[in-house]
Tab-separated table of all heavy atoms in Angstrom:
chain	number	residue	atom	x	y	z
A	398	ARG	N	-14.246	-8.809	-23.947
A	398	ARG	CA	-14.952	-8.170	-25.052
A	398	ARG	C	-15.250	-9.221	-26.116
A	398	ARG	O	-14.361	-9.657	-26.849
A	398	ARG	CB	-14.128	-7.033	-25.659
A	398	ARG	CG	-14.924	-6.209	-26.668
A	398	ARG	CD	-14.057	-5.290	-27.479
A	398	ARG	NE	-14.868	-4.447	-28.336
A	398	ARG	CZ	-15.446	-4.848	-29.479
A	398	ARG	NH1	-15.292	-6.092	-29.878
A	398	ARG	NH2	-16.164	-4.001	-30.185
A	399	GLY	N	-16.481	-9.675	-26.146
A	399	GLY	CA	-16.893	-10.651	-27.148
A	399	GLY	C	-16.115	-11.953	-27.062
A	399	GLY	O	-15.868	-12.593	-28.085
A	400	GLY	N	-15.687	-12.345	-25.874
A	400	GLY	CA	-14.931	-13.573	-25.710
A	400	GLY	C	-13.425	-13.384	-25.736
A	400	GLY	O	-12.680	-14.287	-25.359
A	401	GLU	N	-12.959	-12.232	-26.194
A	401	GLU	CA	-11.526	-11.924	-26.171
A	401	GLU	C	-11.192	-11.290	-24.815
A	401	GLU	O	-11.783	-10.274	-24.430
A	401	GLU	CB	-11.155	-10.952	-27.300
A	401	GLU	CG	-11.418	-11.490	-28.696
A	401	GLU	CD	-10.377	-12.506	-29.116
A	401	GLU	OE1	-9.466	-12.799	-28.324
A	401	GLU	OE2	-10.469	-13.009	-30.258
A	402	LYS	N	-10.254	-11.892	-24.093
A	402	LYS	CA	-9.942	-11.428	-22.742
A	402	LYS	C	-8.546	-10.817	-22.694
A	402	LYS	O	-7.588	-11.386	-23.222
A	402	LYS	CB	-10.049	-12.597	-21.755
A	402	LYS	CG	-11.451	-13.189	-21.675
A	402	LYS	CD	-11.517	-14.349	-20.708
A	402	LYS	CE	-12.937	-14.925	-20.647
A	402	LYS	NZ	-13.023	-16.083	-19.712
A	403	PHE	N	-8.444	-9.681	-22.010
A	403	PHE	CA	-7.169	-8.977	-21.899
A	403	PHE	C	-7.251	-8.020	-20.717
A	403	PHE	O	-8.335	-7.735	-20.188
A	403	PHE	CB	-6.848	-8.208	-23.196
A	403	PHE	CG	-7.959	-7.310	-23.663
A	403	PHE	CD1	-7.974	-5.966	-23.345
A	403	PHE	CD2	-9.008	-7.819	-24.427
A	403	PHE	CE1	-8.996	-5.140	-23.768
A	403	PHE	CE2	-10.042	-7.005	-24.863
A	403	PHE	CZ	-10.039	-5.662	-24.526
A	404	GLY	N	-6.104	-7.520	-20.297
A	404	GLY	CA	-6.052	-6.645	-19.134
A	404	GLY	C	-6.042	-5.174	-19.495
A	404	GLY	O	-5.523	-4.781	-20.546
A	405	PRO	N	-6.582	-4.308	-18.625
A	405	PRO	CA	-6.590	-2.871	-18.896
A	405	PRO	C	-5.200	-2.253	-18.891
A	405	PRO	O	-4.974	-1.232	-19.545
A	405	PRO	CB	-7.455	-2.305	-17.765
A	405	PRO	CG	-7.379	-3.325	-16.673
A	405	PRO	CD	-7.261	-4.644	-17.363
A	406	VAL	N	-4.257	-2.865	-18.182
A	406	VAL	CA	-2.900	-2.300	-18.120
A	406	VAL	C	-2.273	-2.242	-19.506
A	406	VAL	O	-1.565	-1.292	-19.849
A	406	VAL	CB	-2.032	-3.133	-17.154
A	406	VAL	CG1	-0.579	-2.678	-17.208
A	406	VAL	CG2	-2.565	-3.027	-15.731
A	407	GLU	N	-2.535	-3.246	-20.330
A	407	GLU	CA	-1.993	-3.288	-21.686
A	407	GLU	C	-2.524	-2.119	-22.515
A	407	GLU	O	-1.788	-1.489	-23.294
A	407	GLU	CB	-2.363	-4.620	-22.334
A	407	GLU	CG	-1.811	-4.829	-23.723
A	407	GLU	CD	-2.219	-6.152	-24.330
A	407	GLU	OE1	-2.974	-6.916	-23.677
A	407	GLU	OE2	-1.796	-6.430	-25.465
A	408	VAL	N	-3.807	-1.819	-22.344
A	408	VAL	CA	-4.412	-0.712	-23.086
A	408	VAL	C	-3.866	0.619	-22.570
A	408	VAL	O	-3.569	1.539	-23.347
A	408	VAL	CB	-5.952	-0.760	-22.980
A	408	VAL	CG1	-6.580	0.317	-23.862
A	408	VAL	CG2	-6.474	-2.143	-23.360
A	409	GLU	N	-3.743	0.742	-21.250
A	409	GLU	CA	-3.205	1.971	-20.668
A	409	GLU	C	-1.785	2.242	-21.165
A	409	GLU	O	-1.421	3.390	-21.458
A	409	GLU	CB	-3.230	1.866	-19.139
A	409	GLU	CG	-4.630	1.907	-18.560
A	409	GLU	CD	-4.694	1.486	-17.106
A	409	GLU	OE1	-3.670	1.013	-16.559
A	409	GLU	OE2	-5.768	1.599	-16.508
A	410	ALA	N	-0.981	1.178	-21.264
A	410	ALA	CA	0.400	1.346	-21.745
A	410	ALA	C	0.411	1.878	-23.179
A	410	ALA	O	1.234	2.745	-23.527
A	410	ALA	CB	1.140	0.017	-21.655
A	411	ALA	N	-0.490	1.382	-24.020
A	411	ALA	CA	-0.560	1.867	-25.401
A	411	ALA	C	-1.015	3.328	-25.450
A	411	ALA	O	-0.463	4.144	-26.206
A	411	ALA	CB	-1.513	0.985	-26.206
A	412	LEU	N	-2.009	3.666	-24.649
A	412	LEU	CA	-2.494	5.052	-24.625
A	412	LEU	C	-1.398	6.019	-24.188
A	412	LEU	O	-1.263	7.122	-24.727
A	412	LEU	CB	-3.692	5.164	-23.684
A	412	LEU	CG	-5.066	4.781	-24.234
A	412	LEU	CD1	-6.090	4.692	-23.108
A	412	LEU	CD2	-5.521	5.799	-25.284
A	413	ARG	N	-0.616	5.608	-23.186
A	413	ARG	CA	0.392	6.522	-22.638
A	413	ARG	C	1.510	6.833	-23.619
A	413	ARG	O	2.259	7.792	-23.414
A	413	ARG	CB	0.989	5.943	-21.345
A	413	ARG	CG	0.050	6.009	-20.149
A	413	ARG	CD	0.806	5.784	-18.836
A	413	ARG	NE	-0.087	5.915	-17.711
A	413	ARG	CZ	-0.682	4.897	-17.094
A	413	ARG	NH1	-0.446	3.652	-17.519
A	413	ARG	NH2	-1.484	5.103	-16.072
A	414	THR	N	1.655	6.033	-24.668
A	414	THR	CA	2.687	6.345	-25.657
A	414	THR	C	2.281	7.490	-26.569
A	414	THR	O	3.124	8.039	-27.283
A	414	THR	CB	3.008	5.106	-26.530
A	414	THR	OG1	1.837	4.723	-27.270
A	414	THR	CG2	3.484	3.945	-25.674
A	415	HIS	N	0.997	7.870	-26.557
A	415	HIS	CA	0.559	8.995	-27.391
A	415	HIS	C	1.138	10.295	-26.811
A	415	HIS	O	1.045	10.543	-25.606
A	415	HIS	CB	-0.965	9.072	-27.429
A	415	HIS	CG	-1.479	9.988	-28.497
A	415	HIS	ND1	-1.398	11.358	-28.411
A	415	HIS	CD2	-2.089	9.728	-29.697
A	415	HIS	CE1	-1.936	11.908	-29.487
A	415	HIS	NE2	-2.356	10.932	-30.286
A	416	PRO	N	1.714	11.137	-27.633
A	416	PRO	CA	2.376	12.343	-27.119
A	416	PRO	C	1.455	13.325	-26.415
A	416	PRO	O	1.935	14.169	-25.643
A	416	PRO	CB	2.993	12.964	-28.379
A	416	PRO	CG	2.235	12.376	-29.523
A	416	PRO	CD	1.852	11.007	-29.095
A	417	LEU	N	0.140	13.232	-26.653
A	417	LEU	CA	-0.783	14.176	-26.024
A	417	LEU	C	-1.534	13.566	-24.830
A	417	LEU	O	-2.404	14.215	-24.264
A	417	LEU	CB	-1.794	14.696	-27.053
A	417	LEU	CG	-1.207	15.582	-28.156
A	417	LEU	CD1	-2.291	16.011	-29.135
A	417	LEU	CD2	-0.509	16.806	-27.564
A	418	VAL	N	-1.190	12.349	-24.446
A	418	VAL	CA	-1.839	11.715	-23.285
A	418	VAL	C	-0.947	11.893	-22.057
A	418	VAL	O	0.203	11.448	-22.043
A	418	VAL	CB	-2.105	10.218	-23.536
A	418	VAL	CG1	-2.572	9.533	-22.250
A	418	VAL	CG2	-3.154	10.057	-24.626
A	419	HIS	N	-1.483	12.543	-21.055
A	419	HIS	CA	-0.753	12.760	-19.800
A	419	HIS	C	-0.991	11.617	-18.819
A	419	HIS	O	-0.073	11.170	-18.137
A	419	HIS	CB	-1.191	14.086	-19.167
A	419	HIS	CG	-0.575	14.335	-17.820
A	419	HIS	ND1	0.766	14.609	-17.662
A	419	HIS	CD2	-1.113	14.335	-16.560
A	419	HIS	CE1	1.028	14.774	-16.375
A	419	HIS	NE2	-0.085	14.605	-15.691
A	420	ASP	N	-2.227	11.129	-18.741
A	420	ASP	CA	-2.567	10.031	-17.841
A	420	ASP	C	-3.829	9.364	-18.361
A	420	ASP	O	-4.581	9.950	-19.167
A	420	ASP	CB	-2.786	10.549	-16.414
A	420	ASP	CG	-2.678	9.458	-15.361
A	420	ASP	OD1	-2.379	8.298	-15.714
A	420	ASP	OD2	-2.888	9.759	-14.173
A	421	CYS	N	-4.087	8.141	-17.888
A	421	CYS	CA	-5.271	7.437	-18.351
A	421	CYS	C	-5.602	6.295	-17.411
A	421	CYS	O	-4.761	5.843	-16.626
A	421	CYS	CB	-5.085	6.902	-19.772
A	421	CYS	SG	-3.743	5.705	-19.915
A	422	ALA	N	-6.833	5.826	-17.484
A	422	ALA	CA	-7.281	4.654	-16.735
A	422	ALA	C	-8.324	3.938	-17.581
A	422	ALA	O	-9.189	4.577	-18.192
A	422	ALA	CB	-7.874	5.060	-15.387
Side-chain angles (χ1 to χ4, degrees):
R398 189 192 185 283
E401 298 284 1
K402 298 179 180 179
F403 52 96
V406 173
E407 183 181 2
V408 185
E409 290 167 352
L412 277 169
R413 286 196 177 97
T414 63
H415 193 287
L417 293 179
V418 171
H419 175 70
D420 199 3
C421 62

